[in-house]
Amino acid sequence: MPIPANQERAALPGSVALLLALPALLFALITWQVVADGPLVRLDERLSRVLVNPDRCSELLADLGNIPVAVPVLAVAAGYAAVRRRRAGADRWWLPGAAAALLLALVPALVVPLKELTDRPGTPAVPAVPPGTGYYPSGHTATAAIAYGCATLLLLPWLRTALARSALITLCAALVLGASYGLVRRGYHWPLDVVAGWCLSTVLLTSLWLFLRTVTTPGRSQPPGP
């Protein structure tokens, strides 16, 4: 039975609050543990020793979080969505793509100060990671999640079948998880670095999703909805 629109709108704030609050609280907890060198960090280090096994496959997967790989994917998706919106006569057809680009630009603006604040050393996988600090949170994880996640949010309204939308979401999740696994397996990051990147990205992507809802409200020219 279809859910009335007013009931759907009433349920929306609660689900959005969870998408914003839970990852934010988890991120705060992990950051506190990293700064305080708490028991969660020691568990993280033991887990890393089990998971690290540098190989060619893990290096290729980790590269999915590189800017030269992830940014072109978002650029193509933003360009395609902009063209479709312009042809459909949508108001401010350029705005969703610009918002996604701005969100990706926010990643280093948020991650770099956090790296300096936490000053976390890299893993003992010496061939993979040079000596130094500033590995928390994982910027590569956040770059992958934001780039592929934004691309997915921009393209979803233009896919007409549930199968196509499910395939796109699955592909996005596979790319982000693949990059995350490669970063840990190769020894580029501790597992908690990657989890923190997920938390940060979830908050940012939820914010973008809310923004995109406001620029494609009923009564305006807009793409077909899911």
Side-chain angles (χ1 to χ4, degrees):
M1 180 177 179
I3 300 176
N6 58 345
Q7 293 184 17
E8 183 180 359
R9 286 193 295 270
L12 184 61
S15 60
V16 172
L18 287 176
L19 284 173
L20 291 172
L22 289 181
L25 289 173
L26 181 57
F27 181 83
L29 171 63
I30 297 173
T31 304
W32 166 57
Q33 285 290 289
V34 169
V35 172
D37 194 24
L40 198 59
V41 170
R42 292 188 287 275
L43 178 62
D44 186 43
E45 292 171 351
R46 290 197 295 270
L47 180 61
S48 179
R49 286 192 291 269
V50 173
L51 294 177
V52 170
N53 185 19
D55 54 24
R56 179 60 177 167
C57 180
S58 62
E59 184 175 358
L60 292 175
L61 288 173
D63 287 343
L64 292 172
N66 286 343
I67 289 178
V69 177
V71 171
V73 173
L74 176 57
V76 170
Y80 176 81
V83 170
R84 291 294 302 270
R85 284 177 58 82
R86 186 176 183 182
R87 288 178 178 175
D91 297 336
R92 296 180 292 177
W93 51 268
W94 48 269
L95 191 55
L102 177 60
L103 198 68
L104 184 60
L106 279 177
V107 170
L110 295 173
V111 168
V112 171
L114 286 167
K115 287 179 178 290
E116 295 179 355
L117 172 67
T118 56
D119 199 33
R120 191 180 193 190
T123 71
V126 178
V129 179
T133 58
Y135 287 88
Y136 176 91
S138 171
H140 281 72
T141 300
T143 297
I146 295 299
Y148 304 135
C150 286
T152 299
L153 289 176
L154 293 175
L155 294 177
L156 275 178
W158 301 103
L159 302 179
R160 295 184 177 274
T161 67
L163 179 61
R165 290 190 291 272
S166 298
L168 179 60
I169 293 172
T170 301
L171 176 60
C172 173
L175 291 173
V176 175
L177 292 175
S180 303
Y181 173 80
L183 290 167
V184 174
R185 186 73 168 174
R186 188 70 178 87
Y188 288 141
H189 277 287
W190 305 98
L192 281 183
D193 301 347
V194 170
V195 175
W198 293 345
C199 294
L200 181 63
S201 300
T202 300
V203 173
L204 294 176
L205 288 172
T206 302
S207 301
L208 177 65
W209 174 66
L210 289 173
F211 174 77
L212 293 179
R213 285 174 60 89
T214 67
V215 298
T216 57
T217 54
R220 297 181 178 180
S221 298
Q222 58 181 352

